[in-house]
Amino acid sequence: MRPAKAVAPRPVVRPVPVDDNAAGTPCPSCGTPNPPDRRFCRRCATPLTPGTAAPALPWWRRIWPLRRRARAGSGRTTRFLVILTVVLALCAGGFLLLPAGRNLIEDTRDKLGRSKPVTPVRVEASAEVPGQPAGNATDGLSNRYWGAPGPGASITLTFAEPFRLVAVIVTNGASTSPEDYAREGRALRIDLEVTASNGRKSVERLTLTDKPGPQTFATGISDATTVRLTLDDPAGLDGDRHLALAELEFFQRS
């Protein structure tokens, strides 16, 4: 049988007598009086003169690159210039992006909201063929049309009050009937010019397919008061034919 491994005896700590009647600073933890020259409590070793904790920095001083604490006023000018630059950049960005943001909001409202038709109070054409006046383009009937002698002719529609023009429906040709549609020429491109109440003009190009029936175009133009459509890119215009435009419909946000 092998002998056991020797184990060193544990040291015996002798308690040091504490004179509770000694005069001095009482310990903040156990209340034991301590001599003035002691830094730690002679009973529980609690620090008698703890260091003063540094005050917490404000949140704007803890954000990079301002998280370092300034010493003796160093870096204050740099911090001020950085903050001023950020504020000016935000103001400039907001100013530049304001029109785009407004347009985005209006377009979202157009898609989420409902629309209703709006009727012009006056219709005028730069040219028209006999028996096919410009008023036929807004009479609600697709078997009557406005006849224009050729490309470049325009029709101008005036509305009673400014409104948000969200869509335009164009019924091209002489009729929605396939047999009557090809009877006259058609404009496959229409230049749309919208004049707002403040005189600002917005121009869009509408490209039509050469087929009968209504064709819808989303616009999204605010404060529209006058709309002018100019016919271009004719198709089927040969012989004694002329350009035909059966119906125009305008819609505003309800």
Side-chain angles (χ1 to χ4, degrees):
M1 184 173 181
R2 300 179 62 182
K5 187 177 180 180
V7 178
R10 298 182 62 182
V12 178
V13 180
R14 296 179 180 179
V16 179
V18 177
D19 185 7
D20 293 338
N21 297 324
T25 304
C27 174
S29 178
C30 65
T32 302
N34 293 272
D37 57 344
R38 291 192 64 89
R39 299 176 58 186
F40 298 92
C41 178
R42 58 197 177 102
R43 177 184 293 273
C44 63
T46 300
L48 299 178
T49 56
T52 305
L57 296 177
W59 66 268
W60 58 271
R61 294 278 298 277
R62 297 192 297 268
I63 300 177
W64 186 91
L66 308 177
R67 62 184 176 213
R68 292 188 176 181
R69 189 176 181 183
R71 295 183 179 178
S74 61
R76 293 180 179 177
T77 303
T78 303
R79 289 196 301 274
F80 173 76
L81 293 177
V82 171
I83 295 175
L84 181 61
T85 303
V86 171
V87 172
L88 292 178
L90 291 176
C91 294
F95 178 77
L96 295 176
L97 296 177
L98 184 60
R102 185 185 300 113
N103 293 337
L104 179 61
I105 294 175
E106 293 295 337
D107 292 341
T108 303
R109 292 181 60 189
D110 292 343
K111 295 178 180 179
L112 298 179
R114 297 183 178 181
S115 60
K116 61 180 181 180
V118 55
T119 305
V121 295
R122 186 169 67 251
V123 180
E124 299 174 335
S126 62
E128 55 188 24
V129 298
Q132 305 297 339
N136 289 350
T138 58
D139 60 357
L141 303 174
S142 59
N143 57 354
R144 298 198 304 179
Y145 63 89
W146 163 51
S154 62
I155 182 172
T156 303
L157 306 101
T158 305
F159 298 85
E161 297 179 354
F163 66 100
R164 170 80 175 178
L165 179 61
V166 298
V168 177
I169 296 181
V170 180
T171 303
N172 205 9
S175 173
T176 56
S177 172
E179 294 78 11
D180 296 336
Y181 173 80
R183 187 179 61 195
E184 301 292 346
R186 291 84 57 194
L188 300 184
R189 192 184 73 196
I190 296 179
D191 294 331
L192 177 71
E193 181 183 271
V194 181
T195 304
S197 56
N198 58 0
R200 177 177 53 86
K201 296 182 182 297
S202 302
V203 179
E204 293 189 12
R205 177 167 293 180
L206 310 181
T207 301
L208 294 89
T209 56
D210 193 8
K211 65 178 183 179
Q215 302 180 44
T216 304
F217 300 90
T219 53
I221 303 175
S222 300
D223 299 328
T225 56
T226 304
V227 178
R228 184 175 68 179
L229 298 97
T230 304
L231 307 183
D232 200 358
D233 194 11
L237 189 62
D238 52 1
D240 57 351
R241 293 183 176 184
H242 52 264
L243 296 179
L245 185 62
E247 192 69 22
L248 292 172
E249 300 175 74
F250 303 91
F251 292 86
Q252 65 176 345
R253 189 168 60 203
S254 60

